[in-house]
Amino acid sequence: MHRGGGAGWIGWLLAVLIVPVALSGTLLAVWPAVERVAYPTRFAATAAIDPDACVTALHAGAPPDRRIVAMERGAGVLRFTTRGADGADRLFACTARGAGVSLADATHGAEAWVRRVHAALAVPWVGRGLVAAAGLALIGLALSGLALWGVAVFRGSDGWAWHRWLGLAAALPVLAMAASGMPLLWRGAAADGGAAPLAHPAQPLRIVEAHALALTGGTVARVAWPTRRSPDWLVTIAAGTARQVKVADDTGGALAAVARSDGGGTGEGVAASLHGVRGTGWWRRMLLALTGLAVVVLVATGLRIRRGAA
């Protein structure tokens, strides 16, 4: 299993699938730092961003059938995910500019492209299946690599070679990332049960955030819009360990209640909290980035070892 069953082309095929997923995941883990280097003017504004002004600008500039799904807070920028009647998502970045806001379509930007590579290798139709194959291959390689390491140590051979040392150190993080990423591949539009987000919720975004923060300390990392099926806002709070708050969307006032986890305590919610970096600190981002780099190094050195043994 670990050596591709004796067929050298299998290793190269797996490398083509695994390396782009690992590298894109590494970039997404440290994207705030990448963004500051790539777009220095985006963070030049000193004024605070008004999220409701961003929502107003989105409604004014987007087609009537496009609705906001969620907002994520970054360093100096708010990212909005919108969904059209055709089910396709578009990303918008909103930044402060003087007394107003600046809105840019980020669907075709660098971050959006990296996300498409990580989720589907930027390949239509079959991309998610290819990423699933890469995830299964990573799980198989990690488990078989651990078995080979144990056999090598038991026999007193070169079980402590640096390739095996790196594989041993990265095995558990790789298994966690690969296994948790699998149930998220087809989450997409079905994350809210297929219900469309409300076009014009009753509560302003600033009121929703205020109610959530009044219940628990920290900072807002993400806000998911209410839907016809679930008329509640879902606010993710970053405070050491990310937690979530539900805010009811009604005209009489928002009522906050602590939510169990993303996905309502389901297995998908556990996977999302394990696989993602939303609401987490830099130590976790660096761990995920190093895990992705370790995968790339292990694939490259494994191919070299395989070639030398052939």
Side-chain angles (χ1 to χ4, degrees), residues 2-20:
H2 202 75
R3 295 173 180 173
W9 61 268
I10 294 180
W12 288 102
L13 176 60
L14 293 180
V16 170
L17 295 177
I18 293 172
V19 170

mmCIF file of all heavy atoms in Angstrom, residues 2-20:
data_model
loop_
_atom_site.group_PDB
_atom_site.id
_atom_site.type_symbol
_atom_site.label_atom_id
_atom_site.label_comp_id
_atom_site.label_asym_id
_atom_site.label_seq_id
_atom_site.Cartn_x
_atom_site.Cartn_y
_atom_site.Cartn_z
ATOM 1 N N HIS A 2 1.891 1.287 0.848
ATOM 2 C CA HIS A 2 2.714 2.478 0.999
ATOM 3 C C HIS A 2 3.571 2.733 -0.235
ATOM 4 O O HIS A 2 3.880 3.883 -0.553
ATOM 5 C CB HIS A 2 3.608 2.341 2.233
ATOM 6 C CG HIS A 2 4.090 3.653 2.763
ATOM 7 N ND1 HIS A 2 3.278 4.517 3.470
ATOM 8 C CD2 HIS A 2 5.299 4.259 2.681
ATOM 9 C CE1 HIS A 2 3.973 5.592 3.803
ATOM 10 N NE2 HIS A 2 5.194 5.459 3.339
ATOM 11 N N ARG A 3 3.949 1.683 -0.942
ATOM 12 C CA ARG A 3 4.845 1.829 -2.096
ATOM 13 C C ARG A 3 4.107 1.739 -3.426
ATOM 14 O O ARG A 3 4.725 1.568 -4.475
ATOM 15 C CB ARG A 3 5.935 0.765 -2.033
ATOM 16 C CG ARG A 3 6.840 0.953 -0.815
ATOM 17 C CD ARG A 3 7.810 -0.184 -0.642
ATOM 18 N NE ARG A 3 8.666 0.019 0.518
ATOM 19 C CZ ARG A 3 9.514 -0.875 0.995
ATOM 20 N NH1 ARG A 3 9.606 -2.062 0.397
ATOM 21 N NH2 ARG A 3 10.250 -0.610 2.041
ATOM 22 N N GLY A 4 2.801 1.826 -3.387
ATOM 23 C CA GLY A 4 2.049 1.844 -4.636
ATOM 24 C C GLY A 4 1.956 0.498 -5.301
ATOM 25 O O GLY A 4 1.772 0.429 -6.524
ATOM 26 N N GLY A 5 2.076 -0.554 -4.546
ATOM 27 C CA GLY A 5 1.926 -1.888 -5.099
ATOM 28 C C GLY A 5 2.947 -2.223 -6.164
ATOM 29 O O GLY A 5 2.716 -3.061 -7.023
ATOM 30 N N GLY A 6 4.098 -1.566 -6.141
ATOM 31 C CA GLY A 6 5.150 -1.868 -7.106
ATOM 32 C C GLY A 6 5.036 -1.096 -8.397
ATOM 33 O O GLY A 6 5.928 -1.157 -9.230
ATOM 34 N N ALA A 7 3.961 -0.345 -8.597
ATOM 35 C CA ALA A 7 3.791 0.448 -9.817
ATOM 36 C C ALA A 7 4.215 1.880 -9.546
ATOM 37 O O ALA A 7 3.584 2.585 -8.765
ATOM 38 C CB ALA A 7 2.333 0.401 -10.281
ATOM 39 N N GLY A 8 5.289 2.325 -10.176
ATOM 40 C CA GLY A 8 5.819 3.653 -9.923
ATOM 41 C C GLY A 8 4.864 4.770 -10.286
ATOM 42 O O GLY A 8 4.843 5.823 -9.647
ATOM 43 N N TRP A 9 4.027 4.547 -11.293
ATOM 44 C CA TRP A 9 3.131 5.621 -11.727
ATOM 45 C C TRP A 9 2.055 5.933 -10.692
ATOM 46 O O TRP A 9 1.514 7.045 -10.666
ATOM 47 C CB TRP A 9 2.474 5.236 -13.055
ATOM 48 C CG TRP A 9 1.624 3.997 -13.002
ATOM 49 C CD1 TRP A 9 2.013 2.718 -13.261
ATOM 50 C CD2 TRP A 9 0.230 3.935 -12.649
ATOM 51 N NE1 TRP A 9 0.962 1.849 -13.109
ATOM 52 C CE2 TRP A 9 -0.156 2.573 -12.736
ATOM 53 C CE3 TRP A 9 -0.723 4.877 -12.288
ATOM 54 C CZ2 TRP A 9 -1.439 2.138 -12.464
ATOM 55 C CZ3 TRP A 9 -2.012 4.445 -12.005
ATOM 56 C CH2 TRP A 9 -2.358 3.104 -12.108
ATOM 57 N N ILE A 10 1.757 4.980 -9.814
ATOM 58 C CA ILE A 10 0.751 5.232 -8.777
ATOM 59 C C ILE A 10 1.242 6.329 -7.829
ATOM 60 O O ILE A 10 0.475 7.213 -7.422
ATOM 61 C CB ILE A 10 0.426 3.947 -8.012
ATOM 62 C CG1 ILE A 10 -0.256 2.939 -8.942
ATOM 63 C CG2 ILE A 10 -0.450 4.241 -6.805
ATOM 64 C CD1 ILE A 10 -0.608 1.627 -8.271
ATOM 65 N N GLY A 11 2.517 6.275 -7.466
ATOM 66 C CA GLY A 11 3.080 7.300 -6.589
ATOM 67 C C GLY A 11 3.000 8.684 -7.198
ATOM 68 O O GLY A 11 2.654 9.661 -6.525
ATOM 69 N N TRP A 12 3.303 8.787 -8.488
ATOM 70 C CA TRP A 12 3.224 10.087 -9.158
ATOM 71 C C TRP A 12 1.783 10.560 -9.263
ATOM 72 O O TRP A 12 1.502 11.764 -9.125
ATOM 73 C CB TRP A 12 3.864 10.008 -10.536
ATOM 74 C CG TRP A 12 5.350 9.905 -10.487
ATOM 75 C CD1 TRP A 12 6.109 8.790 -10.667
ATOM 76 C CD2 TRP A 12 6.271 10.972 -10.198
ATOM 77 N NE1 TRP A 12 7.448 9.078 -10.517
ATOM 78 C CE2 TRP A 12 7.565 10.404 -10.228
ATOM 79 C CE3 TRP A 12 6.122 12.325 -9.904
ATOM 80 C CZ2 TRP A 12 8.716 11.170 -9.992
ATOM 81 C CZ3 TRP A 12 7.266 13.084 -9.673
ATOM 82 C CH2 TRP A 12 8.538 12.497 -9.719
ATOM 83 N N LEU A 13 0.860 9.651 -9.494
ATOM 84 C CA LEU A 13 -0.548 10.028 -9.572
ATOM 85 C C LEU A 13 -1.034 10.561 -8.226
ATOM 86 O O LEU A 13 -1.728 11.598 -8.160
ATOM 87 C CB LEU A 13 -1.395 8.822 -9.984
ATOM 88 C CG LEU A 13 -2.909 9.034 -10.019
ATOM 89 C CD1 LEU A 13 -3.277 10.127 -11.008
ATOM 90 C CD2 LEU A 13 -3.636 7.732 -10.365
ATOM 91 N N LEU A 14 -0.652 9.874 -7.145
ATOM 92 C CA LEU A 14 -1.043 10.346 -5.821
ATOM 93 C C LEU A 14 -0.401 11.688 -5.505
ATOM 94 O O LEU A 14 -1.020 12.550 -4.871
ATOM 95 C CB LEU A 14 -0.649 9.308 -4.764
ATOM 96 C CG LEU A 14 -1.399 7.972 -4.805
ATOM 97 C CD1 LEU A 14 -0.909 7.058 -3.702
ATOM 98 C CD2 LEU A 14 -2.903 8.197 -4.685
ATOM 99 N N ALA A 15 0.836 11.882 -5.958
ATOM 100 C CA ALA A 15 1.505 13.163 -5.715
ATOM 101 C C ALA A 15 0.769 14.305 -6.402
ATOM 102 O O ALA A 15 0.611 15.395 -5.839
ATOM 103 C CB ALA A 15 2.952 13.092 -6.204
ATOM 104 N N VAL A 16 0.299 14.065 -7.625
ATOM 105 C CA VAL A 16 -0.441 15.096 -8.362
ATOM 106 C C VAL A 16 -1.730 15.467 -7.627
ATOM 107 O O VAL A 16 -2.158 16.627 -7.656
ATOM 108 C CB VAL A 16 -0.750 14.600 -9.795
ATOM 109 C CG1 VAL A 16 -1.724 15.523 -10.495
ATOM 110 C CG2 VAL A 16 0.539 14.492 -10.597
ATOM 111 N N LEU A 17 -2.340 14.498 -6.952
ATOM 112 C CA LEU A 17 -3.568 14.773 -6.213
ATOM 113 C C LEU A 17 -3.287 15.400 -4.850
ATOM 114 O O LEU A 17 -3.970 16.344 -4.429
ATOM 115 C CB LEU A 17 -4.364 13.486 -6.015
ATOM 116 C CG LEU A 17 -4.920 12.795 -7.266
ATOM 117 C CD1 LEU A 17 -5.618 11.504 -6.870
ATOM 118 C CD2 LEU A 17 -5.873 13.709 -8.017
ATOM 119 N N ILE A 18 -2.282 14.886 -4.152
ATOM 120 C CA ILE A 18 -2.056 15.268 -2.760
ATOM 121 C C ILE A 18 -1.361 16.609 -2.624
ATOM 122 O O ILE A 18 -1.754 17.450 -1.796
ATOM 123 C CB ILE A 18 -1.258 14.170 -2.030
ATOM 124 C CG1 ILE A 18 -2.109 12.904 -1.901
ATOM 125 C CG2 ILE A 18 -0.799 14.632 -0.663
ATOM 126 C CD1 ILE A 18 -1.340 11.713 -1.365
ATOM 127 N N VAL A 19 -0.320 16.853 -3.416
ATOM 128 C CA VAL A 19 0.499 18.055 -3.238
ATOM 129 C C VAL A 19 -0.314 19.345 -3.402
ATOM 130 O O VAL A 19 -0.204 20.254 -2.569
ATOM 131 C CB VAL A 19 1.708 18.027 -4.192
ATOM 132 C CG1 VAL A 19 2.426 19.377 -4.202
ATOM 133 C CG2 VAL A 19 2.682 16.934 -3.761
ATOM 134 N N PRO A 20 -1.160 19.506 -4.443
ATOM 135 C CA PRO A 20 -1.949 20.754 -4.530
ATOM 136 C C PRO A 20 -2.881 20.951 -3.343
ATOM 137 O O PRO A 20 -3.063 22.084 -2.872
ATOM 138 C CB PRO A 20 -2.738 20.577 -5.838
ATOM 139 C CG PRO A 20 -1.963 19.588 -6.633
ATOM 140 C CD PRO A 20 -1.377 18.653 -5.626
#
